[in-house]
Amino acid sequence: MKQLYAHFHHQLEITGDVLDNLLLWAKSELIESKLQMDKVVLANIANNIALQLKNAMDDKDIQFTNNLNFHLIALADKLQVEIILRNLISN
């Protein structure tokens, strides 16, 4: 029972993160906000997204390997990068 609870709790956190990102993106589109340019480590973002999608990938027997260099830093809007990488990884 504890494992089932832990699984649902983890899935709920992931779903909440995805929903937060989508709402922030929608808000930025509605108010035409400027991009928030920051230094982002692409490998970290890819790992976080892969962790969020782990159960879905396991269900489909998909393996994800992140070969991005952790020294690779981009000047980008983190939210936009997360949305793009999430779409690429999930498809």
Side-chain angles (χ1 to χ4, degrees), residues 64-81:
F64 176 82
T65 303
N66 182 355
N67 290 326
L68 290 171
N69 185 322
F70 281 88
H71 298 290
L72 180 63
I73 298 174
L75 182 61
D77 183 278
K78 183 179 177 187
L79 178 61
Q80 296 292 328
V81 171

Side-chain angles (χ1 to χ4, degrees), residues 34-76:
K34 294 182 180 179
L35 296 177
Q36 181 73 30
M37 303 302 277
D38 290 312
K39 292 179 181 178
V40 295
V41 180
L42 299 175
N44 287 341
I45 294 174
N47 278 343
N48 290 339
I49 293 168
L51 182 62
Q52 292 172 1
L53 299 173
K54 183 183 182 331
N55 289 335
M57 290 189 291
D58 288 346
D59 291 343
K60 296 178 183 178
D61 199 28
I62 297 172
Q63 293 186 358
F64 176 82
T65 303
N66 182 355
N67 290 326
L68 290 171
N69 185 322
F70 281 88
H71 298 290
L72 180 63
I73 298 174
L75 182 61

Side-chain angles (χ1 to χ4, degrees), residues 1-61:
M1 187 68 155
K2 288 184 180 181
Q3 288 178 333
L4 185 61
Y5 173 77
H7 173 74
F8 283 127
H9 182 74
H10 180 70
Q11 284 300 113
L12 184 59
E13 286 180 346
I14 291 168
T15 303
D17 289 342
V18 171
L19 185 57
D20 285 343
N21 285 340
L22 288 173
L23 290 172
L24 287 171
W25 174 78
K27 179 181 176 184
S28 71
E29 289 295 311
L30 286 174
I31 61 172
E32 298 180 22
S33 67
K34 294 182 180 179
L35 296 177
Q36 181 73 30
M37 303 302 277
D38 290 312
K39 292 179 181 178
V40 295
V41 180
L42 299 175
N44 287 341
I45 294 174
N47 278 343
N48 290 339
I49 293 168
L51 182 62
Q52 292 172 1
L53 299 173
K54 183 183 182 331
N55 289 335
M57 290 189 291
D58 288 346
D59 291 343
K60 296 178 183 178
D61 199 28

